[in-house]
Amino acid sequence: MSREIVCSGIRPTGNLHLGNYFGALRNFVKMQEAHDCFFFIADYHSLTTHPTPDNLYNNARQILVQYLAAGLDPDKATIYLQSDLPETVELYLFFNMNAYLGELERVTSFKDKVRQQPNNVNAGLLTYPTLMAADILIHKATKVPVGKDQEQHLEMTRTFANRFNNMYKHEVFPLPQAFNFGSDLVKIPGLDGSGKMGKSEGEMNAIFLNDDPAAIKKKIMKAKTDLGPTEMNQEKPVEIANLFTLLSVVSTPDTVAYFDDLYNRCQIRYGDLKKQLVEDMVKFTQPFRERIAELSSDESYLRRVMDQGKEKAHESARRTIEEVRHVIGYRN
Ligand code: TYM
């Protein structure tokens, strides 16, 4: 792949879980080596769920620590806070003028939120995809490392970019693509036997990068299973397939093949599978826990990283917003 402009972010709604890591953060770390990368903490997007000021601040700080603990390097990638870049908000406003109620209401994540929080269906939720488009297009990014659940938002981003270019008859924006390093977009399942790993599905559903070994053990041992296979080579029910998916991201292929074979021969003992998963999960998360603990108290380093990121992000955003204003017709 030639050198691309890459941009992505994660909402600071709590600690990062394995879904965030394998869907997004792992790609951030790889991509910073060869591309011009902008990775931000989406602290405007998190306002849709009305955090308290303390929560907003502490969660954003925690995401920064976890970005760095996972290996993001402020000298390679631009790491910044979304709210440090007001140009994004201006571009969001411009996109909102050409975003239509019907298309915004049809977005799956919006429909999910309407179901989940019927008493808080705010305009920020409705226009979530236009703010995302602004985040990405403010840097004219072409590649956006995200998990499978963000695919539709990227489609909307292309719609808004294209619409703007056509309306003003200028090729201002590229049409960015969702991206996962080396393969299809991923969806990491949760531990409750359904759906994806996610913060809003409850604490027991997700393994967080800073979970201690006892918490990991408790969650995995409680994960839902069935009574076991009764026929050779039978298809795995979803909760069992989920455990195998989790095993495949933290264990060796040999280990996965070993349990797969036992399953196919109806000789699997889920307790053994879970013990192995606990062991490999604890090993996998160990370096994160150590780095998180080290970085958490280094206030002056964290401050420096944010200041440096803000400056670099601002440079890129200012160029785009000047061009956009000119094309729209704001001329001094
Ligand atoms: P958020 O904060 O919900 O999730 C952050 C990233 O983690 C990925 N992810 C998963 N990937 C695989 N399996 C899972 N179980 C899983 N759970 C979460 C998400 O796909 C995402 O990549 N809207 C975004 C934040 C955002 C953004 C942007 C992203 C705001 N502006 C611009 C890219 C570009 C979000 O809510 O992600």
Side-chain angles (χ1 to χ4, degrees), residues 113-124:
K113 288 288 177 199
V114 170
R115 250 191 320 268
Q116 285 163 8
Q117 49 185 72
N119 298 324
N120 179 23
V121 184
N122 58 63

Side-chain angles (χ1 to χ4, degrees), residues 7-11 13 17 19-24 40 42 45 82 128 131-132 135-136 144-150 153-154 186-189 196-198:
C7 176
S8 193
I10 298 183
R11 274 174 308 142
T13 47
H17 52 68
N20 298 136
Y21 181 73
F22 286 104
F40 61 92
H45 274 107
Q82 189 185 29
Y128 194 104
L131 181 53
M132 252 184 87
D135 289 328
I136 296 164
V144 186
V146 283
K148 182 103 184 119
D149 60 327
Q150 300 295 316
H153 289 154
L154 264 295
V186 302
K187 176 177 153 188
I188 301 293
K196 63 163 191 165
M197 185 174 285

Side-chain angles (χ1 to χ4, degrees), residues 64 74 78-81 84 299-314:
L64 173 62
T78 301
I79 306 168
Y80 66 99
L81 204 55
D84 269 343
E299 200 61 49
S300 66
Y301 177 62
L302 298 177
R303 169 60 43 212
R304 248 192 348 268
V305 171
M306 284 287 86
D307 287 346
Q308 180 182 333
K310 177 178 173 175
E311 203 170 303
K312 285 204 282 179
H314 188 62

Side-chain angles (χ1 to χ4, degrees), residues 7 44 80 85-99 127 129-141 157 160-161 164-165 168 172-174 316-328 330:
C7 176
Y44 281 141
Y80 66 99
L85 206 61
E87 289 88 346
T88 306
V89 186
E90 190 174 347
L91 190 58
Y92 168 56
L93 180 142
F94 294 147
F95 286 150
N96 275 336
M97 300 301 167
N98 295 307
T127 57
T130 53
L131 181 53
M132 252 184 87
D135 289 328
I136 296 164
L137 294 168
I138 197 72
H139 302 299
K140 300 195 179 187
T157 298
F160 299 135
F164 186 96
N165 291 347
Y168 294 106
V172 177
F173 296 116
S316 151
R318 201 177 42 220
R319 277 198 303 274
T320 308
I321 210 72
E322 277 173 10
E323 184 184 356
V324 166
R325 289 179 130 262
H326 185 81
V327 162
I328 290 180
Y330 292 109

Side-chain angles (χ1 to χ4, degrees), residues 51-192:
T52 64
D54 280 350
N55 272 342
L56 182 69
Y57 175 81
N58 289 327
N59 283 339
R61 187 181 185 284
Q62 191 61 7
I63 299 295
L64 173 62
V65 167
Q66 294 180 6
Y67 271 4
L68 297 167
L72 273 196
D73 180 344
D75 292 328
K76 292 179 179 158
T78 301
I79 306 168
Y80 66 99
L81 204 55
Q82 189 185 29
S83 62
D84 269 343
L85 206 61
E87 289 88 346
T88 306
V89 186
E90 190 174 347
L91 190 58
Y92 168 56
L93 180 142
F94 294 147
F95 286 150
N96 275 336
M97 300 301 167
N98 295 307
Y100 296 99
L101 184 59
E103 65 188 343
L104 293 171
E105 279 177 333
R106 277 195 299 277
V107 174
T108 311
S109 61
F110 178 70
K111 290 195 282 193
D112 287 348
K113 288 288 177 199
V114 170
R115 250 191 320 268
Q116 285 163 8
Q117 49 185 72
N119 298 324
N120 179 23
V121 184
N122 58 63
L125 279 177
L126 183 71
T127 57
Y128 194 104
T130 53
L131 181 53
M132 252 184 87
D135 289 328
I136 296 164
L137 294 168
I138 197 72
H139 302 299
K140 300 195 179 187
T142 48
K143 290 277 182 281
V144 186
V146 283
K148 182 103 184 119
D149 60 327
Q150 300 295 316
E151 211 166 19
Q152 195 184 21
H153 289 154
L154 264 295
E155 211 177 295
M156 301 285 292
T157 298
R158 288 191 290 278
T159 300
F160 299 135
N162 208 13
R163 196 173 285 162
F164 186 96
N165 291 347
N166 287 337
M167 181 159 190
Y168 294 106
K169 302 194 172 35
H170 274 82
E171 288 300 305
V172 177
F173 296 116
L175 305 183
Q177 299 289 336
F179 182 80
N180 182 53
F181 217 84
S183 65
D184 294 341
L185 301 183
V186 302
K187 176 177 153 188
I188 301 293
L191 288 167
D192 64 358

